Amino acid sequence: MSKKHPHPPSADAAPAAEAPPAAPEAAPAPAPAPADEPHPSPEEALKDRLLRLQADFDNYRKRMDREKKDWAAYANEKLVLDLLPVLDHFELGLADSAKNGAPAAIVEGFQLVYNQLRAALEKAGAEAIDAEEKPFDPHLHEAITHLPSDDVPEGHVVAQTRRGYKLGDKLLRAAQVVVSSGPAD
């Protein structure tokens, strides 16, 4: 009996079955939820949704309140800015009438109207900035010139040519001032 010996494959023979090429690796599938985490019941899901809606509505209401206050502040600011030149002219007219000897009854009438206008502006939140003889503050004052002064220290306001105003913490109009440059040399 003859035994058959296996022959080594020749170089030109087809290779034995090869492993198929590796497929590109896909992203790992999300891990399934652990069995110990309970799914919310429909009642709990509904309660959670209701709480979120209430919170969203509360945030909306607060935002609307803020916007309403901002609009009111803006409206006050615009009105006050429009009335400031009128107040300036009243001040100039009262000062001029006192210099030129206008009848006392007319001056008194204009003074009353001026006081009412100023009170209305203060009620709206406008606050006058009095700058005379105070240190110059570039955040509140607008220097229109510097003058030497033996009476007022350097860097302080010698005179105010136009009153400034604030509305709350916001500067509406800087006070126009003349600043001392110290004693004349």
Side-chain angles (χ1 to χ4, degrees):
M1 279 210 225
S2 79
K3 276 185 165 179
K4 290 190 176 182
H5 294 294
H7 297 295
S10 65
D12 54 16
E18 291 182 20
E25 290 188 32
D36 58 332
E37 282 186 24
H39 291 284
S41 69
E43 293 84 20
E44 290 174 342
L46 194 56
K47 183 179 179 182
D48 182 55
R49 186 172 175 202
L50 178 63
L51 289 174
R52 289 177 189 271
L53 283 172
Q54 282 178 329
D56 286 345
F57 181 72
D58 191 44
N59 290 338
Y60 170 79
R61 186 180 46 78
K62 288 176 184 176
R63 187 176 70 242
M64 288 297 111
D65 287 345
R66 259 193 326 270
E67 286 180 9
K68 190 163 68 169
K69 287 178 185 174
D70 290 346
W71 277 102
Y74 174 75
N76 277 352
E77 179 180 336
K78 178 97 173 89
L79 177 64
V80 169
L81 281 171
D82 288 345
L83 290 175
L84 289 181
V86 176
L87 195 64
D88 292 341
H89 291 114
F90 258 110
E91 287 177 354
L92 291 172
L94 285 169
D96 193 46
S97 64
K99 285 184 205 171
N100 294 324
I106 292 176
V107 173
E108 185 179 328
F110 276 107
Q111 183 68 48
L112 289 173
V113 174
Y114 170 78
N115 292 343
Q116 285 180 329
L117 179 59
R118 189 152 180 186
L121 289 173
E122 287 173 359
K123 186 177 178 182
E127 178 185 341
I129 299 171
D130 292 317
E132 288 198 28
E133 297 184 15
K134 294 188 178 166
F136 175 74
D137 181 354
H139 300 290
L140 299 175
H141 309 138
E142 176 185 349
I144 56 174
T145 189
H146 286 77
L147 289 177
S149 173
D150 294 331
D151 302 328
V152 180
E154 182 177 353
H156 283 64
V157 175
V158 174
Q160 177 173 276
T161 59
R162 184 182 75 180
R163 190 180 312 275
Y165 288 89
K166 291 177 19 175
L167 187 61
D169 291 337
K170 184 176 182 180
L171 179 67
L172 288 181
R173 183 176 81 179
Q176 287 184 340
V177 297
V178 177
V179 181
S180 171
S181 59
D185 291 333

